[in-house]
Amino acid sequence: MLRHLATRSLCVLLLLLSAACNDEATAPSREALIAQLRTAAAAAALASPPPPAPASPEALALGQVLFTSRLLSGNRDTSCATCHDPLFATTDALSLSIGTGGVGRGPNRQLTPLRRLHPRNAPDLFLRATDLQTSLLRDGGATRLEDGSYRPPEEAEQPYRDGVAGLFSAVALFHVTQRFDMRGNAGEEAIDGTPNEIAAIDEDDWHSMWDALAVRLREEATMRPLIAAAFPGEAPESLSLERIFSALDAFAAQAFDSRDTPFDRLLSGDDSALSDSALRGGLLFATTAGCTRCHNGPLLADGTFHNLGVPFVGLGQEYEEPYDFGRASQTERTTDRYAFSTAPLRNTAATGPWMHNGAYTTLEAAVRHHLDPRDAILRYDWQQLDPLLQSTWHGAPIDNARLLSTLDPLVATPISLSDRDFDDLIAFLREGLTDADALARVATIQAP
Ligand code: HEC
Ligand code: HEC
């Protein structure tokens, strides 16, 4: 009897095993997965970006000092690295940034009286200084035109002048004119007690602000020799801020380069670069999950704008409060409302909070939102936000109706993924798209 039972159990076990074997036989082999992912990647033009242009060591040195120098802000208290902090993967790890006057670093940074939270989340800066970018800022405010010239955001009363060297420095030129980012309020004194001469300039006169900042930089004892070295044979007095900031383009292209994620290695022939889970996730990314409809090309971003229905969080933009019209602020087309630029995805796991306003504080929630935005806004958990921001969430039916009125059709049909598929997709983003060497290299940049 016992023996009979044992034989039976053995049979059942064998049956189960053979079922499992059959299952294995239907799942594609690792080799097949790799081949499928490479084909799907090619179809979506996913590829490694080209290497940055070479630059002189002197230009790179000046660029790094400019990036980390608080002299660039009217009050001498805020640098580019304050909000794009090398220790936080070139972000501040806050949902919404805090500019001049703020105290503390990274996620510990705090707002002080008379200041305003930035309406937007500080994006990371990886691959933002490559020629592949045709516009920057989340609404595409800074644009490179076909003739190679640059157009500033709509709010600019004056055009860019000659000498702007790249989109990256075009954004820097914008940032230094913005009161709550870097310029400060009229009548303020800088933290060292000197008058804030940049803040005193007329609101619309960007050219004078740039000229005043160029004077400040050229006259500073530590900056002057660096400027002279980066532009040999040119008198420092003749250098405009546009020219000086060209060192930022050179520096950013090198320092924020990122082309060595495991996914890049897979594309260049390394079959062992991705785990099985990340491989499956990559294939979902490029097929069933529909991600490459927008996250395509070498940057994993299509260079255009989409309304994903991201919950309204934050104070919004001036004249649009409490909303941020996104792309419509630039085009003035109501159909472009709430559309934002597709985010490049290399190193995304390290650069939260996510979305243009940091509405999501986990990568999983940001990705899940894409699968069914209508459902996501109804279930939005505002408790994930910093207490300061919780009351800035607008999620009443009338807000949701506004938000969904221009929802991108590409995300209007819900996509359902099994739990395993979802985990695989996240594994692809976390493991496959993280360039550990680039993150480590960036973290060595000496910041404030
Ligand atoms: C107050 C915090 C803050 C400071 C200081 C700051 N940034 Fe930014 N940066 C932001 C925010 C927020 C955005 C997004 C703004 C938008 O989309 O309208 C941004 C956007 C950018 C972008 C565009 C990225 C993209 O993907 O579109 C670049 C490039 C950039 N900043 C570089 C710089 C440089 C260079 C400096 C120094 C001159 C600087 N930033 C100073 C917060 C800051
Ligand atoms: C309709 C175009 C579109 C599709 C399809 C799409 N995305 Fe996005 N994605 C965007 C846009 C636009 C943003 C930026 C939204 C914002 O700033 O509010 C974004 C942002 C993200 C972010 C946050 C990046 C950051 O730094 O804040 C992640 C992660 C992401 N997408 C992953 C995915 C994944 C995974 C898929 C597939 C399931 C996907 N996306 C499908 C357009 C799209």
Side-chain angles (χ1 to χ4, degrees):
M1 177 70 193
L2 250 173
R3 184 191 260 171
H4 178 67
L5 246 178
T7 331
R8 269 186 65 136
S9 321
L10 191 70
C11 288
V12 171
L13 189 72
L14 280 173
L15 232 131
L16 282 173
L17 270 175
S18 79
C21 291
N22 281 339
D23 220 38
E24 280 289 295
T26 52
S29 68
R30 200 180 146 82
E31 290 68 36
L33 267 179
I34 292 173
Q36 284 173 30
L37 176 52
R38 288 199 179 121
T39 308
L46 306 185
S48 296
S56 75
E58 292 78 11
L60 296 177
L62 174 62
Q64 172 154 344
V65 170
L66 289 171
F67 187 76
T68 54
S69 170
R70 296 180 176 146
L71 277 179
L72 267 58
S73 64
N75 291 327
R76 301 172 188 250
D77 65 346
T78 311
S79 75
C80 309
T82 302
C83 303
H84 304 285
D85 193 325
L87 277 192
F88 299 98
T90 68
T91 73
D92 50 16
L94 292 166
S95 284
L96 298 172
S97 285
I98 298 173
T100 182
V103 291
R105 185 167 178 181
N108 297 320
R109 196 164 166 76
Q110 311 239 315
L111 203 62
T112 49
L114 301 182
R115 307 293 172 180
R116 201 189 135 101
L117 272 175
H118 199 289
R120 293 188 181 150
N121 167 272
D124 67 87
L125 300 181
F126 289 104
L127 297 166
R128 299 312 198 274
T130 115
D131 286 346
L132 296 171
Q133 301 278 7
T134 49
S135 77
L136 284 176
L137 298 174
R138 296 178 177 281
D139 53 14
T143 314
R144 185 177 40 245
L145 304 175
E146 301 254 309
D147 65 3
S149 67
Y150 297 90
R151 200 185 57 214
E154 265 303 295
E155 53 266 50
E157 296 289 332
Q158 293 173 325
Y160 284 134
R161 302 180 296 199
D162 288 348
V164 177
L167 261 184
F168 193 91
S169 61
V171 173
L173 288 165
F174 167 67
H175 268 314
V176 298
T177 65
Q178 299 297 296
R179 288 207 182 279
F180 294 100
D181 294 10
M182 301 189 86
R183 187 154 79 102
N185 297 323
E188 271 175 348
E189 277 186 351
I191 47 163
D192 61 1
T194 56
N196 180 342
E197 78 282 21
I198 322 280
I201 294 166
D202 185 49
E203 200 62 33
D204 302 328
D205 191 0
W206 290 19
H207 293 170
S208 298
M209 293 178 211
W210 296 337
D211 292 341
L213 192 53
V215 170
R216 188 197 270 199
L217 296 179
R218 292 189 313 236
E219 285 179 354
E220 177 70 21
T222 52
M223 200 66 91
R224 196 177 168 82
L226 289 165
I227 295 177
F231 300 97
E234 294 180 62
E237 281 65 32
S238 70
L239 295 169
S240 64
L241 192 67
E242 290 88 326
R243 284 280 283 150
I244 297 172
F245 271 14
S246 67
L248 276 172
D249 295 290
F251 164 72
Q254 301 273 339
F256 310 135
D257 185 25
S258 179
R259 288 171 288 125
D260 193 24
T261 66
F263 180 56
D264 290 299
R265 273 180 258 141
L266 181 98
L267 293 181
S268 61
D270 178 355
D271 286 357
S272 65
L274 293 180
S275 68
D276 289 353
S277 172
L279 262 182
R280 291 192 300 265
L283 192 56
L284 286 165
F285 183 87
T287 58
T288 348
C291 312
T292 49
R293 286 177 298 171
C294 304
H295 297 283
N296 51 39
L299 298 175
L300 297 149
D302 58 6
T304 67
F305 308 86
H306 306 273
N307 176 9
L308 298 184
V310 174
F312 292 126
V313 168
L315 304 176
Q317 297 282 11
E318 244 185 314
Y319 309 115
E320 300 167 7
E321 288 172 16
Y323 307 112
D324 178 344
F325 289 169
R327 183 64 182 153
S329 319
Q330 299 299 325
T331 64
E332 283 167 21
R333 283 195 297 259
T334 41
T335 47
D336 286 337
R337 281 204 183 163
Y338 320 120
F340 293 89
S341 63
T342 304
L345 293 182
R346 278 185 188 73
N347 303 314
T348 190
T351 63
W354 291 266
M355 308 305 211
H356 67 275
N357 55 5
Y360 288 107
T361 56
T362 65
L363 179 64
E364 285 77 4
V367 172
R368 211 169 266 295
H369 174 98
H370 285 75
L371 300 176
D372 189 352
R374 288 173 201 278
D375 183 59
I377 57 172
L378 292 178
R379 291 163 185 264
Y380 180 66
D381 173 15
W382 49 268
Q383 291 186 19
Q384 67 194 288
L385 297 171
D386 183 289
L388 183 70
L389 294 182
Q390 293 181 354
S391 63
T392 71
W393 169 60
H394 286 79
I398 188 164
D399 301 307
N400 291 347
R402 264 172 167 271
L403 186 56
L404 295 175
S405 65
T406 56
L407 186 71
D408 194 305
L410 290 173
V411 288
T413 311
I415 292 175
S416 91
L417 294 181
S418 69
D419 287 349
R420 188 183 93 150
D421 285 352
F422 186 78
D423 292 348
D424 289 342
L425 187 58
I426 296 293
F428 174 68
L429 297 176
R430 276 195 193 288
E431 177 199 311
L433 296 183
T434 299
D435 184 341
D437 288 349
L439 289 169
R441 191 186 64 232
V442 161
T444 65
I445 296 170
Q446 293 292 325

